[in-house]
Amino acid sequence: MTREAIDEFRRFQRDKEVNSQLYSKLTVRGKVQVKSSDIQVGDLIIVEKNQRIPSDMVFLRTSEKAGSCFIRTDQLDGETDWKLKVAVSCTQRLPALGDLFSINAYVYAQKPQMDIHSFEGTFTREDSDPPVHESLSIENTLWASTIVASGTVIGVVIYTGKETRSVMNTSNPKNKVGLLDLELNRLTKALFLALVALSVVMVTLQGFVGPWYRNLFRFLLLFSYIIPISLRVNLDMGKAVYGWMMMKDENIPGTVVRTSTIPEELGRLVYLLTDKTGTLTQNEMVFKRLHLGTVSYGADTMDEIQSHVRDSYSQMQSQAGGNNTGSTPPRKAQSSAPKVRKSVSSRIHEAVKAIVLCHNVTPVYESRAGVTGETEFAEADQDFSDENRTYQASSPDEVALVQWTESVGLTLVSRDLTSMQLKTPSGQVLSFCILQLFPFTSESKRMGIIVRDESTAEITFYMKGADVAMSPVVQYNDWLEEECGNMAREGLRTLVVAKKALTEEQYQDFESRYTQAKLSMHDRSLKVAAVVESLEREMELLCLTGVEDQLQADVRPTLEMLRNAGIKIWMLTGDKLETATCIAKSSHLVSRTQDIHIFRQVTSRGEAHLELNAFRRKHDCALVISGDSLEVCLKYYEHEFVELACQCPAVVCCRCSPTQKAHIVTLLQQHTGRRTCAIGDGGNDVSMIQAADCGIGIEGKEGKQASLAADFSIRQFRHIGRLLMVHGRNSYKRSAALGQFVMHRGLIISTMQAVFSSVFYFASVPLYQGFLMVGYATIYTMFPVFSLVLDQDVKPEMAMLYPELYKDLTKGRSLSFKTFLIWVLISIYQGGILMYGALVLFESEFVHVVAISFTALILTELLMVALTVRTWHWLMVVAEFLSLGCYVSSLAFLNEYFGIGRVSFGAFLDVAFITTVAFLWKVSAITMVSCLPLYVLKYLRRKLSPPSYCKLAS
């Protein structure tokens, strides 16, 4: 309790710290400092660079010239790259900050929702003539918990507190209780019933004489040792030891145990739910392949591309007479003779140019001083030196593409909202004007950009996207689908790049329709998509690119090991379907021989029904499903879907929101009743980690939020193998042995009391005095019994080599009613033998029964520990002899305790008796009878039906 209270108090302090951060609020009288807990809807808040955004806001103004800024969203959606946000142009154009109060305007926002990737609203300024209406979308919002990465921003608060997107996506953490603790609680309840039953039987046999209810309570007290009170203490100390062992293991450095109550859970897992980006992969992209249809370039032939690019630019310059840096010559040749195939060189040049223009990347220059770290948007005169340029984009794939074009000679040197500058290999700067940008969405799976070349005034529409989205819009070809398949099999993420030349008239017509569609309040996204689609026809296919997201170290062998251990792995990611499928293949989450069933997009009950039936007909194939389809299936066919999915060897859910991840975890817990484990590294995995029976966080690039919320924190994904196979397995087996042994210790002494009472006409007289009983549970047997936490059945190397050993644990056979009953029978047998033996062998000197039976009892306990141990540790031997020494030395001092019920018999024990040969041989005989049969039985069982670990150990 105290330990949990301290944890809670620390959490309370952390919350308080966040809530009392100060922010500048803009009022008519100037700037005022407010605590973040006092911010209200409608406030104008100023957020500096590197400050956390306190609540959901609409972005009104920025100090950046371009009218846009970058924010870091890693604590919201788990993506490490920066997102570009655009200020509302109406307020950005105002001459000064104070003018915000001189205009009459309002913001219309939709009701609070959970979806962090969408927003619809309008900004209306009424005092201008005509009134200005501006549509607000996701790029005009600043969500709480994100951090400003460039410039200073001013926003108007639209949602606070529980209505912010980040809070709506987090779930309340629950107190986690291990399965082993629940099982032990069940057994303790059974023992309590046994205690009551035994007491009632005793009173009944007495014949309910006199004040029988008083006798009943005396028996309840006498037999109370049946209830293992020391069990909790022993187990909690054991858990602390396991946690210490995990943190001290050199093979998994940096492991932290944050919840010390559930180490045994690690030994019982059936489902492992993992995040993809940053958990299985490093989130570092590398450009690997460029394919032009007839020719493919890999990592080793990039220098050819470089020379082609250099040639085509020097050729252009010479043709244009050095004064005109346009792409006119190739274009003219093409229009006059369309039948001639373009040379490889010009095709490469076109492809590279398309890649360097069609993206959402901004080059950022750290200023020379380096002190302020302010990002300066480059003007034409600023030096575009390569040393201090970094690229920022909302997707690491795009950065990889732009870095690659830089390596082959065509460099993106500056970009703002309306223009882009490129630098050719010879050092010339080409300018392009950005007319329209169509950002990537999960529905369209593609992005487009319309640019005008400043030197030739040509307008070109470039587009790139996933092969599924692009194949219908490009001209007919015979190689795209096949090559995409080939690259995907290599684990590369593919993008198809295409272009289309537009005339000025075509563009003007498009622009007017597009602007109209963007202002509509109903079905806006549909109307906009329809207008853009009118352009996306018969595009010229330029190239296919392949980018690799490198896997973390040893992901493949670790996943292989977990699969062999009988753990089913589900990958829940916020990423695109294609990418998720790619990584599932390359990480061997789905083995080479398995089919992958991609669940179609479903929106209604009927579609879900048909698709589930199609999936039911497939056997042993991995399932890939998107978050939206999953929602539909769970809404109508929850039970059927979970049942089918649980039979799959692997499941991949893509485009999952943080709450969906947590929902999947709770579904698995409810439907299967099995133990689940969630592992992730970003703020978007926190809900899932807290919902799972056992949450593991990885300290990654995405900050420490996941590792702080988790029960166990590790440095790399591969450490999970050892954590489960070795530590999880040992913790469970040791705790099971320890728990049952503590119960046995109480049962055996209660059996002796019962035998003693029944021999003496059911008298409710205690057999042993208080101190002996206390000593029995503590100093005489505590150390050997507790030393069971050091026991192991196989060496860690063996457990790692044969993960199949782990499979046995999920059945929970180490601690069940069966094993418990075996221990009960052992206790009754031993208790009976010890007591009857003591009574039979000591007819004459009856007063010595206590000394003899107690000595035999202690010896039996020590021998039983030795019988239970599977691998000896030097501390165990020390504990055995230490306890024996304590007992022998106490015999000399505590002789008055060894009489029976001092009042009734008044006899004391003399040291002379203990040293006689008769005492020694009789005690040895009783101990032999109580323990030898068990040793024989164990030996025979080992020989006839050995457990699986014995076969390996031999």
Side-chain angles (χ1 to χ4, degrees):
M1 291 287 282
T2 316
R3 190 176 58 208
E4 283 173 11
I6 292 169
D7 288 351
E8 279 295 323
F9 182 68
R10 281 189 191 141
R11 268 187 217 121
F12 163 72
Q13 280 181 314
R14 283 203 297 266
D15 290 347
K16 198 170 166 190
E17 196 181 317
V18 171
N19 284 333
S20 52
Q21 278 180 344
L22 290 175
Y23 288 90
S24 302
K25 172 179 163 182
L26 201 62
T27 63
V28 188
R29 290 186 281 296
K31 293 182 187 178
V32 188
Q33 294 286 316
V34 286
K35 279 187 183 175
S36 66
S37 52
D38 298 337
I39 291 174
Q40 295 173 340
V41 174
D43 286 354
L44 295 177
I45 301 291
I46 302 173
V47 187
E48 302 291 336
K49 182 178 173 179
N50 290 333
Q51 229 185 343
R52 192 179 69 85
I53 293 175
S55 58
D56 291 357
M57 312 199 288
V58 166
F59 183 15
L60 298 180
R61 269 186 89 87
T62 170
S63 59
E64 300 285 338
K65 296 190 196 77
S68 62
C69 80
F70 282 107
I71 60 167
R72 295 203 294 271
T73 60
D74 48 0
Q75 298 305 334
L76 186 65
D77 57 9
E79 293 175 21
T80 48
D81 28 281
W82 296 7
K83 304 278 186 298
L84 184 74
K85 296 290 179 179
V86 184
V88 176
S89 60
C90 173
T91 48
Q92 179 66 24
R93 282 198 305 263
L94 294 175
L97 244 187
D99 297 340
L100 281 172
F101 291 103
S102 63
I103 64 169
N104 178 14
Y106 64 87
V107 171
Y108 167 83
Q110 62 188 155
K111 68 175 196 291
Q113 282 182 326
M114 281 173 69
D115 186 5
I116 51 178
H117 300 297
S118 73
F119 174 75
E120 283 183 10
T122 51
F123 180 91
T124 311
R125 180 176 174 182
E126 293 179 319
D127 57 358
S128 65
D129 194 45
V132 179
H133 294 284
E134 255 188 76
S135 70
L136 300 178
S137 66
I138 184 72
E139 60 182 20
N140 307 112
T141 58
L142 304 168
W143 294 147
S145 295
T146 57
I147 290 166
V148 179
S150 66
T152 306
V153 303
I154 293 114
V156 58
V157 177
I158 48 172
Y159 308 122
T160 57
K162 288 183 178 169
E163 293 178 348
T164 58
R165 295 290 204 262
S166 61
V167 175
M168 291 182 85
N169 273 290
T170 47
S171 50
N172 291 329
K174 53 174 187 175
N175 268 347
K176 297 187 183 181
V177 181
L179 186 60
L180 185 100
D181 295 331
L182 298 173
E183 288 170 343
L184 284 171
N185 286 350
R186 278 210 298 273
L187 297 182
T188 312
K189 287 171 194 162
L191 286 174
F192 174 72
L193 293 176
L195 163 70
V196 175
L198 186 59
S199 308
V200 171
V201 166
M202 282 293 184
V203 175
T204 311
L205 290 173
Q206 260 185 342
F208 293 109
V209 190
W212 58 270
Y213 46 87
R214 193 183 302 161
N215 288 342
L216 179 69
F217 278 107
R218 289 180 71 174
F219 278 124
L220 279 174
L221 288 175
L222 282 180
F223 299 141
S224 64
Y225 277 85
I226 290 181
I227 306 283
I229 294 175
S230 57
L231 180 63
R232 277 263 73 86
V233 181
N234 274 310
L235 275 182
D236 278 357
M237 282 163 53
K239 289 170 198 279
V241 172
Y242 309 143
W244 183 81
M245 286 176 175
M246 287 174 200
M247 297 208 244
K248 284 281 170 283
D249 190 345
E250 279 101 44
N251 296 301
I252 45 173
T255 304
V256 183
V257 178
R258 298 192 196 278
T259 309
S260 55
T261 50
I262 54 169
E264 300 91 2
E265 290 293 272
L266 292 171
R268 309 284 297 275
L269 302 176
V270 182
Y271 291 99
L272 176 72
L273 300 107
T274 164
D275 177 39
K276 180 188 73 69
T277 316
T279 304
L280 297 178
T281 64
Q282 294 177 13
N283 208 9
E284 282 176 11
M285 307 294 171
V286 183
F287 188 92
K288 285 283 185 183
R289 179 79 43 92
L290 179 74
H291 203 294
L292 298 172
T294 50
V295 52
S296 166
Y297 293 95
D300 42 358
T301 49
M302 291 296 178
D303 48 348
E304 286 184 36
I305 298 185
Q306 204 170 346
S307 61
H308 280 306
V309 171
R310 199 179 301 120
D311 294 350
S312 62
Y313 271 109
S314 54
Q315 194 182 338
M316 273 182 184
Q317 260 175 303
S318 55
Q319 280 178 339
N323 58 0
N324 185 359
T325 58
S327 54
T328 27
R331 183 59 56 81
K332 274 182 186 154
Q334 183 199 346
S335 54
S336 57
K339 294 285 172 281
V340 181
R341 294 195 64 169
K342 288 199 253 173
S343 69
V344 172
S345 185
S346 70
R347 283 170 58 205
I348 286 179
H349 168 229
E350 281 292 336
V352 173
K353 187 168 145 194
I355 293 172
V356 80
L357 286 173
C358 180
H359 54 68
N360 209 340
V361 182
T362 310
V364 177
Y365 294 90
E366 290 303 319
S367 58
R368 274 276 170 260
V371 185
T372 54
E374 274 294 312
T375 52
E376 292 177 8
F377 277 84
E379 302 301 326
D381 56 306
Q382 193 199 335
D383 74 286
F384 299 134
S385 64
D386 297 346
E387 293 79 63
N388 57 4
R389 181 192 311 114
T390 51
Y391 293 112
Q392 281 307 340
S394 58
S395 142
D397 303 42
E398 297 207 309
V399 176
L401 291 173
V402 176
Q403 280 171 340
W404 171 77
T405 61
E406 180 181 356
S407 73
V408 295
L410 199 54
T411 313
L412 172 72
V413 285
S414 90
R415 161 166 192 163
D416 54 31
L417 289 178
T418 54
S419 68
M420 219 185 302
Q421 273 88 28
L422 310 181
K423 191 165 75 176
T424 63
S426 57
Q428 263 189 309
V429 175
L430 308 175
S431 291
F432 290 87
C433 174
I434 302 172
L435 301 173
Q436 294 289 351
L437 182 70
F438 314 113
F440 186 95
T441 64
S442 48
E443 287 79 45
S444 69
K445 295 191 178 50
R446 52 185 178 244
M447 71 149 296
I449 188 168
I450 303 181
V451 293
R452 181 191 280 125
D453 188 333
E454 300 273 335
S455 52
T456 60
E458 280 173 352
I459 299 176
T460 318
F461 173 37
Y462 288 108
M463 205 161 99
K464 70 162 188 251
D467 50 320
V468 249
M470 294 291 287
S471 48
V473 301
V474 295
Q475 293 165 352
Y476 173 76
N477 59 12
D478 51 4
W479 58 272
L480 183 63
E481 197 177 331
E482 186 185 347
E483 286 306 324
C484 279
N486 291 343
M487 284 197 196
R489 275 189 284 281
E490 291 176 44
L492 300 178
R493 304 160 66 133
T494 53
L495 282 173
V496 180
V497 185
K499 74 163 194 179
K500 183 179 190 178
L502 301 175
T503 61
E504 189 67 43
E505 296 78 53
Q506 281 174 317
Y507 175 68
Q508 291 303 337
D509 167 51
F510 164 78
E511 192 184 28
S512 60
R513 286 182 301 144
Y514 186 66
T515 321
Q516 205 175 343
K518 267 172 69 173
L519 278 172
S520 58
M521 242 354 260
H522 299 288
D523 302 331
R524 180 192 299 173
S525 50
L526 285 174
K527 289 175 185 165
V528 169
V531 175
V532 177
E533 243 161 60
S534 64
L535 271 191
E536 300 170 349
R537 296 204 182 112
E538 287 297 299
M539 298 190 68
E540 179 190 340
L541 175 60
L542 296 175
C543 65
L544 176 64
T545 63
V547 174
E548 182 183 38
D549 185 356
Q550 292 178 313
L551 292 174
Q552 292 234 3
D554 291 339
V555 161
R556 289 182 187 134
T558 305
L559 286 175
E560 186 76 23
M561 179 198 293
L562 294 173
R563 253 211 314 278
N564 290 340
I567 295 175
K568 291 190 175 164
I569 303 163
W570 288 38
M571 184 165 91
L572 312 179
T573 169
D575 226 323
K576 307 194 281 291
L577 189 128
E578 292 74 30
T579 321
T581 319
C582 247
I583 297 295
K585 284 178 186 162
S586 65
S587 65
H588 294 187
L589 175 71
V590 179
S591 59
R592 287 277 161 90
T593 51
Q594 276 165 359
D595 286 343
I596 293 186
H597 176 82
I598 296 185
F599 207 87
R600 276 190 337 183
Q601 281 286 337
V602 294
T603 47
S604 63
R605 185 174 186 148
E607 288 176 14
H609 183 77
L610 292 171
E611 193 57 27
L612 277 171
N613 281 344
F615 176 46
R616 186 176 273 120
R617 288 194 283 277
K618 299 216 176 167
H619 289 291
D620 190 45
C621 74
L623 170 68
V624 179
I625 184 168
S626 70
D628 314 337
S629 309
L630 184 73
E631 278 294 288
V632 176
C633 289
L634 294 180
K635 189 171 166 189
Y636 300 115
Y637 299 108
E638 184 178 293
H639 187 73
E640 292 84 344
F641 175 77
V642 178
E643 198 178 344
L644 282 174
C646 288
Q647 292 163 5
C648 293
V651 178
V652 177
C653 302
C654 46
R655 285 273 167 226
C656 274
S657 67
T659 21
Q660 252 179 341
K661 290 183 178 185
H663 185 50
I664 294 170
V665 174
T666 40
L667 268 182
L668 281 177
Q669 288 167 336
Q670 288 161 4
H671 280 270
T672 62
R674 299 288 194 168
R675 298 279 110 179
T676 56
C677 169
I679 177 168
D681 70 324
N684 58 332
D685 305 317
V686 170
S687 308
M688 156 171 97
I689 285 172
Q690 288 176 340
D693 296 301
C694 165
I696 300 178
I698 294 182
E699 281 185 38
K701 293 191 176 141
E702 304 187 4
K704 283 193 163 183
Q705 203 173 346
S707 85
L708 289 172
D711 307 312
F712 303 92
S713 154
I714 56 180
R715 289 268 172 84
Q716 283 181 317
F717 182 77
R718 62 182 175 153
H719 292 167
I720 195 177
R722 190 174 173 92
L723 194 67
L724 302 187
M725 299 304 129
V726 178
H727 295 288
R729 187 169 181 278
N730 283 346
S731 302
Y732 170 57
K733 297 204 84 152
R734 288 165 177 171
S735 283
L738 181 67
Q740 302 193 83
F741 210 93
V742 173
M743 289 178 174
H744 157 79
R745 191 168 71 183
L747 274 169
I748 192 169
I749 202 162
S750 299
T751 309
M752 291 173 73
Q753 175 68 52
V755 171
F756 175 76
S757 289
S758 41
V759 170
F760 285 96
Y761 309 106
F762 310 107
S764 46
V765 178
L767 168 59
Y768 301 129
Q769 294 306 312
F771 185 83
L772 285 189
M773 294 301 270
V774 172
Y776 170 68
T778 53
I779 195 160
Y780 298 150
T781 58
M782 170 74 200
F783 299 114
V785 172
F786 187 66
S787 71
L788 287 172
V789 300
L790 299 168
D791 188 22
Q792 57 178 26
D793 49 3
V794 290
K795 289 198 167 63
E797 296 71 42
M798 274 296 190
M800 295 285 283
L801 192 58
Y802 297 103
E804 288 78 7
L805 286 172
Y806 186 90
K807 222 183 240 178
D808 295 347
L809 303 186
T810 51
K811 300 180 182 121
R813 287 183 180 157
S814 302
L815 177 70
S816 59
F817 270 106
K818 181 184 164 186
T819 57
F820 171 64
L821 286 172
I822 291 172
W823 276 102
V824 171
L825 292 174
I826 290 174
S827 311
I828 293 174
Y829 165 77
Q830 289 185 329
I833 290 290
L834 291 172
M835 201 61 233
Y836 274 119
L839 294 171
V840 169
L841 291 178
F842 292 90
E843 279 301 324
S844 49
E845 53 276 292
F846 193 73
V847 285
H848 300 144
V849 166
V850 173
I852 293 148
S853 60
F854 197 76
T855 309
L857 173 66
I858 298 292
L859 289 174
T860 301
E861 277 294 299
L862 297 180
L863 286 170
M864 282 302 290
V865 170
L867 177 74
T868 313
V869 167
R870 291 172 288 235
T871 313
W872 283 90
H873 186 286
W874 64 271
L875 279 170
M876 294 177 173
V877 185
V878 171
E880 292 267 337
F881 284 108
L882 182 71
S883 296
L884 194 59
C886 285
Y887 177 65
V888 173
S889 56
S890 66
L891 272 182
F893 303 117
L894 301 169
N895 56 13
E896 81 260 25
Y897 271 105
F898 286 100
I900 304 183
R902 281 168 301 171
V903 188
S904 51
F905 291 92
F908 290 108
L909 176 81
D910 44 353
V911 181
F913 168 66
I914 297 175
T915 48
T916 57
V917 179
F919 174 79
L920 294 174
W921 83 255
K922 288 179 176 180
V923 166
S924 310
I926 295 174
T927 311
M928 286 288 283
V929 177
S930 79
C931 289
L932 195 63
L934 296 173
Y935 269 89
V936 174
L937 281 171
K938 182 179 179 181
Y939 177 78
L940 288 174
R941 191 169 169 214
R942 266 280 171 87
K943 281 282 167 270
L944 299 173
S945 71
S948 47
Y949 63 83
C950 291
K951 300 171 190 168
L952 296 178
S954 61

